[in-house]
Amino acid sequence: MFDVFPGRLLICGSGGTPAGLLLRDRQLTDRQTDRHGDRMKSALWSLLLCAALLRSGVQATFPLSAGDPQLIAAQSYAQSRNNGRPPLRTLNLAKTDSQCRSRPLDLVFIIDSSRSVRPGEFEKVKIFLADMVDTLDVGSDATRVAVVNYASTVKIEFLLKDHFNKPDLKKAISRIEPLAAGTMTGLAIKTAVNEAFTEQSGARPRSRNISKVAIIVTDGRPQDQVEDVSAAARASGIEIYAVGVDRADMQSLQLMASIPLEDHVFYVETYGVIEKLTSKFRETLCGVDPCAMGHDCEHICVNSNASYYCKCRIGYILNADKKTCSLKQVKVEVVEDPCKCEARLAFQKQTQAALQQLTAKLADVSGRIERLENMVGRA
């Protein structure tokens, strides 16, 4: 409240509806009724002041926990306001260059294998999952992957802690069988949140700041409620992508996905072209390689989420500046001969020098081998 004009109370408010404005006189006297023109001018100035205050974007923030009903309600409301926005994705090829690598994720695929998904189509989904795995940096310290399979029932095919390399992941994906029957998408999302995204199942602690991502693939209309359970998942910190195929219900996809919807809702006409989404997800899940963007490490740059640290090649140690490296000193104790034999002392010193030279050469060879291994790995 602001007492801006003498004798008048100005109240400005905003919320889910347009800002309400209320002008109320503190004092109404017979003499004021004769000043109708002056009051109208004051009202206009008051309206202008309210508009300026509302445009200033002053907001109050309140900390809410992940499971807070108000936060879940806010997530649902945000989705409903964005459901009119069409899902549109365009591939930016500039982002899919050699500097693009998947950021570390706890990634859970939630796949529909209901009766409407024919066996041949389900095989296409499995190929899509395998292709997605190929685009990721998979590992215990990189991206971890789990798969939740659902129809009328829900089955966790494997957890985030089960497979830390691509061959094992792709073998596990190849063994997945369709469940048939109905489409309980809401139950699948709830199961993923309660059982797949837990630390016991291999998800990293919140303190690690590892993104939690769910990718839902479905071709039908959910037979249960998805809005509230999806809002709760998003409120807990899970980013949701929804992929619709053929007969998928667009409104349900929009209710499930995170916002902005144009970045989180995908649609393909048939399972035959779902593999083409791999490149789009590569762009979406892409993280910039800090080492490739430039670093000041003398020897080796190691990525660490959005940052990096330096390491030295074998035979060297990292200096106090954490950037440069120094050759390890090989200590050869020179014991003077009691009889002061100059030839033996000279030989010991020469041996020490030779050992240091060999150590330096070994370190150089190790560095070259390491670089070759990195080149072969990238190829």
Side-chain angles (χ1 to χ4, degrees), residues 59 160 209:
Q59 299 176 340
L160 295 169
N209 293 321

Side-chain angles (χ1 to χ4, degrees), residues 6-63:
R8 192 167 303 283
L9 178 66
L10 172 64
I11 303 175
C12 300
S14 64
T17 59
L21 299 175
L22 177 62
L23 294 171
R24 179 177 297 171
D25 292 332
R26 283 182 182 166
Q27 303 172 4
L28 283 176
T29 63
D30 292 338
R31 290 190 337 189
Q32 285 176 315
T33 58
D34 295 331
R35 298 180 180 177
H36 179 70
D38 292 336
R39 296 217 316 266
M40 288 298 295
K41 289 180 181 179
S42 297
L44 288 173
W45 280 108
S46 302
L47 288 169
L48 289 173
L49 178 60
C50 278
L53 290 170
L54 292 173
R55 287 187 63 188
S56 66
V58 178
Q59 299 176 340
T61 60
F62 303 90

